[in-house]
C-alpha cells in the first residue's frame, strides 16, 4: 500500500492535533446539551473514534450510511441512504461527522433526512474540506473543519479508494496511476 502513496498530506501527529482542537471546541460548544455524534460510514469512522475520545462531555454515538460514489472517484450526485440510525434523535443536538466535505451533496441529503427526525439542532463536522469541489447549489457549511485540502485524491485514516487504504494511520495523496487507468 505504501508504494501507492505519492506523499503524506497529514501525518499521524497532525491528525492527533486536529482531533484535539476540534474535540476541545465541541466540548465547549455543547456543554450541558444532549449531544449525539453521527458517523457517516464508512469513511468517518476512524476520525469519529479519535474525535469522541477528545470530547470531554457526555455524548452518544450512532451511524448512518449513504452511497454516492460506488467504485468511482467522483460522486454520482445521487445519494441513497443505505443504513438508517439505530436510536431516536428527537430533541437531541446532532453532530454529523464526515470524513471529507467536497461536493456537499451527501451531507445536504443527510442533513435534510435527519431534520425529519426532529433533532434540536444539526451541526456539521468534517475532517477535510475540499472547497474547489463544492456543488454551488449546496449551502451547507461545516462548523468544525479539521483542515482544507487541495483537489488531490487523498486516502488513509478512513478515506479509501475502492475500499482500500482506509487503515493507513496518515492521510496521503494517492498516485494518479493507481486510479487513472481503473
Amino acid at each position: 500500500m505504501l508504494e501507492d502513496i505519492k506523499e503524506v498530506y497529514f501525518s499521524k501527529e497532525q491528525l492527533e492535533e486536529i482531533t484535539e482542537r476540534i474535540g476541545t471546541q465541541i466540548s465547549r460548544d455543547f456543554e450541558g446539551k444532549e449531544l449525539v455524534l453521527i458517523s457517516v460510514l464508512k469513511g468517518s469512522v476512524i476520525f469519529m473514534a479519535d474525535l469522541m475520545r477528545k470530547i470531554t462531555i457526555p455524548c452518544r454515538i450512532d451511524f448512518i450510511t449513504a452511497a454516492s460514489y460506488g467504485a468511482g472517484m467522483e460522486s454520482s450526485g445521487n445519494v441513497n441512504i443505505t443504513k438508517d440510525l439505530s436510536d431516536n434523535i428527537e430533541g437531541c443536538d446532532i453532530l454529523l461527522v464526515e470524513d471529507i466535505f467536497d461536493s456537499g451533496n451527501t451531507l445536504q441529503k443527510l442533513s435534510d433526512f435527519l431534520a425529519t427526525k426532529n433533532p434540536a439542532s444539526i451541526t456539521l463536522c468534517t475532517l477535510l474540506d475540499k472547497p474547489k469541489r463544492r456543488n454551488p447549489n449546496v449551502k451547507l457549511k461545516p462548523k468544525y473543519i479539521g483542515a482544507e485540502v487541495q483537489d488531490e485524491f487523498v486516502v488513509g485514516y478512513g478515506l479509501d479508494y475502492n475500499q482500500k487504504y482506509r487503515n493507513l494511520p496518515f492521510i496521503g495523496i494517492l498516485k494518479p496511476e493507481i486510479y487513472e487507468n481503473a
Side-chain angles (χ1 to χ4, degrees):
M1 283 190 309
L2 295 177
E3 64 275 2
D4 296 345
I5 303 301
K6 178 177 155 185
E7 67 183 82
V8 173
Y9 209 114
F10 294 101
S11 69
K12 182 178 179 180
E13 294 75 22
Q14 289 171 308
L15 293 168
E16 171 82 17
E17 291 171 9
I18 288 169
T19 56
E20 180 72 39
R21 174 178 49 83
I22 296 174
T24 299
Q25 291 174 312
I26 291 167
S27 298
R28 187 175 38 242
D29 293 349
F30 287 93
E31 179 71 41
K33 298 188 177 186
E34 189 164 344
L35 179 61
V36 179
L37 281 69
I38 298 176
S39 173
V40 181
L41 295 175
K42 299 176 185 169
S44 74
V45 72
I46 294 173
F47 171 51
M48 190 172 94
D50 285 349
L51 179 63
M52 68 187 209
R53 287 190 287 257
K54 303 295 184 187
I55 294 173
T56 59
I57 60 172
C59 61
R60 296 184 305 161
I61 64 170
D62 208 335
F63 302 90
I64 195 164
T65 305
S68 66
Y69 281 82
M73 293 176 34
E74 294 189 26
S75 174
S76 67
N78 298 321
V79 179
N80 298 310
I81 296 168
T82 56
K83 183 212 170 296
D84 198 350
L85 301 176
S86 300
D87 296 328
N88 181 358
I89 61 167
E90 186 170 352
C92 298
D93 291 286
I94 302 305
L95 184 67
L96 190 56
V97 181
E98 179 64 297
D99 55 357
I100 189 163
F101 187 57
D102 51 19
S103 73
N105 295 332
T106 300
L107 281 179
Q108 183 69 63
K109 172 85 176 201
L110 289 174
S111 293
D112 293 345
F113 175 75
L114 293 173
T116 68
K117 297 177 180 283
N118 301 314
S121 67
I122 299 172
T123 305
L124 305 179
C125 174
T126 187
L127 173 59
L128 303 177
D129 184 22
K130 196 183 278 190
K132 289 186 178 181
R133 305 271 304 182
R134 195 83 70 247
N135 177 339
N137 297 320
V138 172
K139 302 303 178 203
L140 292 176
K141 296 200 183 313
K143 180 172 182 177
Y144 306 102
I145 297 171
E148 187 175 303
V149 293
Q150 299 304 310
D151 195 11
E152 300 273 5
F153 196 94
V154 291
V155 295
Y157 198 68
L159 295 133
D160 75 303
Y161 172 66
N162 281 342
Q163 300 298 326
K164 297 175 186 167
Y165 308 102
R166 291 188 196 277
N167 56 322
L168 293 173
F170 58 84
I171 294 175
I173 299 171
L174 193 61
K175 290 179 180 175
E177 58 266 25
I178 303 301
Y179 56 85
E180 285 178 346
N181 298 322

